[in-house]
Structures are given as structure tokens and as C-alpha cells.
């Protein structure tokens, strides 16, 4: 991408300490945005801030657990007091556990709902009033192919991403006349830490195989490019959904 198309923009990215969130943060900063990073692992956030600054960008970070509503509000307040009103929110923080429903991993079900569903609502709640008032804003929710199609072993994760899709569609209808855009990014398998934590249920693996898929899967930077694509359209153009997949593993839906 040429130039700095986001040079007048302030962006907040949740789950910015690794994987897709880290790549999005770097890409937005490279495109000129002043980027505020939130997640729980502050050392990793600080490393990314340093990398962005070394590259000539502007960034700060704040320890944030997206399951705690007040912490997300504080992240947005911190962004506003440091750089000004938030133009872009990327709700990226997420968890994924591969398991069979009959094995009843209830604590992980709850964690998935807390991070993937409530975390997204906490993000929306922290910015939507200001965006509507200013008639300017873009909320990007990192959903999943699992927000379009269900797979065995992914029930609660898929439910959480269908939730994100449903909220996004309705929100878009409400705010489209108030200058606010809502985009869902729906990646297939991306090479990140999420797969290191996901295999909690041996029976699911034996029955349906392990993940990620055995082909050249996506890189976090591929998802960052699709976010930039959505953010850099002319004012009258809305990119509502981006389904982005490894070339050799198309979604059969
Ligand atoms: N990788 C894939 O194949 C894939 C495919 C489709 C969609 N996605 C989605 O992409 C998003 C990012 O995942 P990833 O693949 O980049 O995995 P990742 O490297 O594990 O990143 C997950 C991020 O979420 C953050 N996070 C988790 N719980 C949090 C909490 N309670 N509060 C704040 N931050 C929290 C983590 O930060 P801390 O641990 O530092 O808090 C981390 O920065 C997720 O929403 C995921 O569902 C991933």
C-alpha cells in the first residue's frame, strides 16, 4: 500500500500481544494510524510498541482483560487521552478450544463466551456512543470461518463467532446512517499461538483430526491486509464481510 491512508486515525486493537492482533497493529501503524494496543501480556505489548516506534509509527499499550468491562472502557479512555477520539476499534482478542460437547468442558465454554462474546460487546460499548456522536468510526470484528459454518469439535467457538456475526449485522443496520461502518473478518486457519492451546480434548482429535490443516495456511499479515482493505475504502463503500482462506482449503458451505 502506498502512502499513509490512515494518518489522521486513532485505532484500538484488542488481543494485540500476539498473532493476528500484533500483525494488525503493525499494519495500521505502518498505514499511519496512531495505535493503542490492549491485552493481558504487557511485555509482549511493549515489544510490539517498540517495533512500531522503531519503524517510525506511533503506539502505546495498556494491560487489558477484555472480559472486564471497566478495563476495556479504561483502554478506550487511555487512547482518547493519549491520541484523541477513537476512529477504529479492532475487536480481535479471542480464544479457541477444540473439544466435544459430550465431554462437557464447561469452564472452557464459559471462558470462550466471556472473551469472544462479552469481550466484543465490551469493545463496542466503549466506543459506539462516541462514534455515533462524531458520525465517524469503523468497528472491525475478527470473527472466523466458524462464524459462517459449523464444524464438529467447534460448537462453542462457532457459537461465539455466530454471535459476533449476528451482533455485527444488526449493529451495522443501526449505525450505517450515523457514519459508522462494521466489518467482520472471517479467517480460515492462520499460523498463530491459538493452535498451541486449543487441543484440550484427545477424543475430538482422534475422531475429527487435529488442527491446523495440513496445507500452506494463512499468515497473520494476510489478515492484517484484509483489515486494511476494509478500512481504506471510499466513504460510501462498506466492506461488511471478508472471508479469507488458505488457497488449498476452501470453505465448503
Ligand atoms: N488463528 C486462526 O486460525 C484463526 C482463525 C479464525 C479466527 N481467528 C481469530 O483471530 C483472533 C486472534 O487469534 P490469533 O489466532 O491471533 O491467536 P493468538 O495469537 O492466541 O492471539 C489471541 C489474542 O487474544 C488475546 N486474549 C485472549 N484472552 C484475552 C483476554 N481475556 N483479554 C484480552 N486479550 C485476550 C491474547 O492476549 P493475552 O493472552 O496477552 O491477553 C492474544 O493477544 C481470535 O479472535 C480468533 O478467534 C483465528
Amino acid at each position: 500500500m502506498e502512502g499513509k491512508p490512515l494518518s489522521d486515525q486513532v485505532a484500538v486493537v484488542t488481543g494485540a500481544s500476539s498473532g493476528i492482533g500484533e500483525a494488525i497493529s503493525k499494519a495500521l501503524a505502518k498505514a499511519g494510524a496512531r495505535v493503542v494496543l490492549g491485552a493481558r501480556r504487557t511485555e509482549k505489548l511493549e515489544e510490539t510498541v517498540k517495533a512500531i516506534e522503531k519503524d517510525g509509527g506511533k503506539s502505546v499499550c495498556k494491560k487489558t482483560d477484555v472480559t472486564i468491562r471497566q478495563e476495556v472502557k479504561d483502554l478506550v479512555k487511555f487512547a482518547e487521552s493519549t491520541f484523541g477520539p477513537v476512529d477504529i476499534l479492532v475487536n480481535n482478542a479471542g480464544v479457541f478450544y477444540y473439544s466435544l460437547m459430550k465431554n462437557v468442558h464447561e469452564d472452557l465454554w464459559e471462558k470462550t463466551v466471556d472473551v469472544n462474546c462479552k469481550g466484543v460487546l465490551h469493545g463496542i460499548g466503549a466506543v459506539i456512543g462516541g462514534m455515533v456522536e462524531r458520525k465517524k468510526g469503523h468497528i472491525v470484528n475478527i470473527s472466523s470461518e466458524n462464524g459462517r459454518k459449523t464444524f464438529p469439535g467447534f460448537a462453542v467457538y462457532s457459537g461465539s463467532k455466530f454471535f459476533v456475526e449476528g451482533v455485527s449485522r444488526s449493529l451495522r443496520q443501526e449505525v450505517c446512517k450515523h457514519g459508522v461502518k462494521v466489518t467482520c473478518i472471517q479467517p480460515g486457519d492462520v499460523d498463530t499461538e491459538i493452535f498451541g492451546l486449543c487441543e484440550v480434548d484427545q477424543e475430538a482429535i482422534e475422531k475429527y483430526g487435529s488442527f491446523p490443516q495440513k496445507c500452506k495456511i494463512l499468515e497473520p499479515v494476510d489478515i492484517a491486509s484484509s483489515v486494511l482493505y476494509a478500512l481504506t475504502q471510499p466513504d460510501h463503500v462498506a466492506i461488511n464481510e471478508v472471508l479469507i482462506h488458505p488457497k488449498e482449503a476452501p470453505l465448503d458451505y
Side-chain angles (χ1 to χ4, degrees), residues 72-93:
V72 183
K73 287 197 192 306
D74 290 344
L75 176 69
V76 169
K77 274 190 206 141
F78 176 63
E80 287 169 350
S81 61
T82 310
F83 290 140
V86 174
D87 304 290
I88 299 163
L89 168 67
V90 183
N91 276 315
N92 165 75

Side-chain angles (χ1 to χ4, degrees), residues 4 22 25-37 44-62 78 82-83:
K4 303 266 181 199
E22 180 186 335
S25 302
K26 288 177 175 169
L28 297 191
K30 204 165 191 161
R34 286 157 286 162
V35 187
V36 181
L37 318 184
K44 300 269 287 172
L45 292 177
E46 280 159 8
E47 278 171 29
T48 303
V49 167
K50 274 193 198 137
I52 288 173
E53 285 173 342
K54 201 171 165 207
D55 209 27
K58 287 199 173 136
S59 182
V60 290
C61 64
K62 184 169 172 51
F78 176 63
T82 310
F83 290 140

Side-chain angles (χ1 to χ4, degrees), residues 14-21 38-41 64-67 91-96 115-116 142-145 157 161 186-195 197:
T14 69
S17 57
S18 61
I20 295 170
R40 294 163 306 172
R41 289 172 293 170
T64 307
D65 183 334
V66 297
T67 68
N91 276 315
N92 165 75
V95 292
F96 159 52
V115 179
N116 297 10
I142 306 303
S143 172
S144 167
E145 62 178 339
Y157 181 69
K161 295 302 187 179
Q186 301 156 340
D189 288 358
V190 188
D191 189 9
T192 71
E193 291 174 13
I194 211 166
F195 290 109
L197 303 169

Side-chain angles (χ1 to χ4, degrees), residues 2 67 76 93 103-104 129 138 196 199-200 205 214 235-236 249 253:
E2 302 219 331
T67 68
V76 169
N103 292 338
V104 196
H138 200 145
E199 295 193 339
V200 294
I205 299 166
K214 309 286 179 282
D235 186 50
H236 68 287
Y253 63 106

Side-chain angles (χ1 to χ4, degrees), residues 26-228:
K26 288 177 175 169
L28 297 191
K30 204 165 191 161
R34 286 157 286 162
V35 187
V36 181
L37 318 184
R40 294 163 306 172
R41 289 172 293 170
T42 38
E43 273 181 27
K44 300 269 287 172
L45 292 177
E46 280 159 8
E47 278 171 29
T48 303
V49 167
K50 274 193 198 137
I52 288 173
E53 285 173 342
K54 201 171 165 207
D55 209 27
K58 287 199 173 136
S59 182
V60 290
C61 64
K62 184 169 172 51
K63 184 173 184 180
T64 307
D65 183 334
V66 297
T67 68
I68 301 171
R69 194 196 303 162
Q70 190 57 48
E71 290 199 10
V72 183
K73 287 197 192 306
D74 290 344
L75 176 69
V76 169
K77 274 190 206 141
F78 176 63
E80 287 169 350
S81 61
T82 310
F83 290 140
V86 174
D87 304 290
I88 299 163
L89 168 67
V90 183
N91 276 315
N92 165 75
V95 292
F96 159 52
Y97 304 106
Y98 182 46
S99 68
L100 302 182
M101 292 302 279
K102 77 177 183 63
N103 292 338
V104 196
H105 295 276
E106 286 175 308
D107 287 346
L108 298 179
W109 297 353
E110 195 166 342
K111 193 169 171 194
T112 305
V113 170
D114 284 349
V115 179
N116 297 10
C117 301
K118 289 189 191 168
V120 167
L121 291 182
H122 293 157
I124 293 169
V127 299
I128 194 67
M131 286 181 173
V132 167
E133 201 175 287
R134 294 187 295 277
K135 297 201 170 301
K136 185 171 182 261
H138 200 145
I139 295 173
V140 179
N141 293 326
I142 306 303
S143 172
S144 167
E145 62 178 339
N146 287 272
R148 291 178 77 127
K149 181 180 159 91
T150 57
F151 302 85
F154 290 75
V156 178
Y157 181 69
S158 203
S160 74
K161 295 302 187 179
F162 270 67
F163 175 89
V164 170
E165 294 287 336
V167 168
S168 302
R169 285 186 204 176
S170 192
L171 174 65
R172 184 180 300 123
Q173 289 168 326
E174 289 183 24
V175 296
C176 65
K177 294 258 170 65
H178 298 282
V180 181
K181 295 183 186 179
V182 181
T183 300
C184 280
I185 308 289
Q186 301 156 340
D189 288 358
V190 188
D191 189 9
T192 71
E193 291 174 13
I194 211 166
F195 290 109
L197 303 169
C198 79
E199 295 193 339
V200 294
D201 186 334
Q202 195 55 35
E203 201 182 345
I205 299 166
E206 281 160 16
K207 209 160 179 190
Y208 299 112
S210 68
F211 286 87
Q213 288 155 310
K214 309 286 179 282
C215 66
K216 170 65 186 153
I217 61 170
L218 300 168
E219 298 296 332
V221 70
D222 300 323
I223 312 309
S225 302
S226 66
V227 171
L228 265 188

